[in-house]
Amino acid sequence: MSSAHFNRGPAYGLSAEVKNKLAQKYDHQREQELREWIEGVTGRRIGNNFMDGLKDGIILCEFINKLQPGSVKKVNESTQNWHQLENIGNFIKAITKYGVKPHDIFEANDLFENTNHTQVQSTLLALASMAKTKGNKVNVGVKYAEKQERRFEPEKLREGRNIIGLQMGTNKFASQQGMTAYGTRRHLYDPKLGTDQPLDQATISLQMGTNKGASQAGMTAPGTKRQIFEPGLGMEHCDTLNVSLQMGSNKGASQRGMTVYGLPRQVYDPKYCLTPEYPELGEPAHNHHPHNYYNSA
């Protein structure tokens, strides 16, 4: 079975667009630097096509064995596709143990099926950075920062809780200059209008409204009614001391016949009761008719 059996056909539509964007990110200058580094370490020539020279996985396995001896126990020299895929898989496992992050590592099909050469290049650059961090002489990649652990005394840690970090902002150069007392108004001054800047903090801007000419003339006590007067309707001014008839009238009202609070009232109806005769003072009450009136109680 030839390797052409695993090669995919041309991509169309969205797949072609994604593949083109990935291909545009491929850096040929980085490819040349990686070629020189791998050939210098392994002593083997890759060939004109960089990715085709790495597709069988043989050079990659020998390369990681040079960086970390014993990483790949067996390197398959066979031209069979599954042997070549096994070499690529062993290389991926080896660089993972070497320290390359999983999110930086390509998949076997990215190289074997020519799916994503950009990711393969990114993996080799990450491997170069890790090799440089471990002390190898590499002219490509960036050295990773070394981990620096710091230990602080518990007293220092407690003091740090009282300090506001710069990530929370800063209050340097802050002041309350120009601030008025709590609840008072601030000036709204617009120099475009040509108005003079107010000198005191008690002046109310016209944008806030004005109280000029305002008075409490005609105001009554809280809770009392206001008279609504409209000259256009021919209305006359009303006396606020008199109660309108719409509110009822207390004329002719008296407290005649009222009893002491709590005593019963007499209910009298001339249709059913005789004319009530009240006894004189000192006259016995039994001489009168008992049904002249009724007690409402």
Side-chain angles (χ1 to χ4, degrees), residues 68-229:
Q68 186 73 29
S71 296
V72 179
K73 302 298 182 181
K74 179 181 178 182
V75 179
N76 296 307
E77 299 286 346
S78 174
T79 59
Q80 298 294 331
N81 293 325
W82 55 84
H83 285 160
Q84 295 178 0
L85 286 171
E86 184 179 359
N87 289 337
I88 298 176
N90 292 333
F91 170 76
I92 291 175
K93 294 178 182 179
I95 62 175
T96 303
K97 295 180 180 179
Y98 190 70
V100 180
K101 303 298 181 182
H103 59 268
D104 292 330
I105 300 177
F106 66 91
E107 296 181 357
N109 290 334
D110 293 338
L111 175 60
F112 193 79
E113 297 184 2
N114 302 318
T115 305
N116 191 353
H117 288 170
T118 303
Q119 184 61 38
V120 177
Q121 186 181 70
S122 298
T123 301
L124 296 177
L125 290 174
L127 178 61
S129 298
M130 182 58 62
K132 183 179 290 187
T133 304
K134 291 180 177 294
N136 295 316
K137 294 181 179 181
V138 184
N139 295 327
V140 63
V142 179
K143 182 180 179 181
Y144 292 128
E146 298 180 359
K147 185 177 181 180
Q148 297 181 359
E149 294 185 0
R150 298 182 181 181
R151 298 183 180 274
F152 297 94
E153 298 296 332
E155 293 77 8
K156 288 290 184 181
L157 295 177
R158 284 192 292 268
E159 291 178 1
R161 298 176 182 176
N162 300 326
I163 300 176
I164 301 176
L166 293 179
Q167 294 181 356
M168 308 295 293
T170 178
N171 60 354
K172 291 184 178 180
F173 310 111
S175 67
Q176 293 182 340
Q177 183 179 2
M179 295 293 291
T180 59
Y182 180 78
T184 56
R185 297 183 182 276
R186 296 293 302 277
H187 287 295
L188 297 179
Y189 170 70
D190 191 353
K192 297 179 181 179
L193 301 179
T195 58
D196 296 333
Q197 186 175 2
L199 300 178
D200 58 335
Q201 300 292 338
T203 304
I204 300 178
S205 173
L206 291 180
Q207 295 182 5
M208 308 292 292
T210 178
N211 59 355
K212 292 184 179 181
S215 67
Q216 293 182 342
M219 295 293 291
T220 59
T224 57
K225 296 185 177 293
R226 298 290 302 277
Q227 298 295 333
I228 301 176
F229 172 69

Side-chain angles (χ1 to χ4, degrees), residues 253-268:
S254 67
Q255 294 183 343
R256 182 181 179 182
M258 296 292 292
T259 59
V260 183
Y261 179 77
L263 297 181
R265 297 289 301 277
Q266 300 295 333
V267 180
Y268 167 71

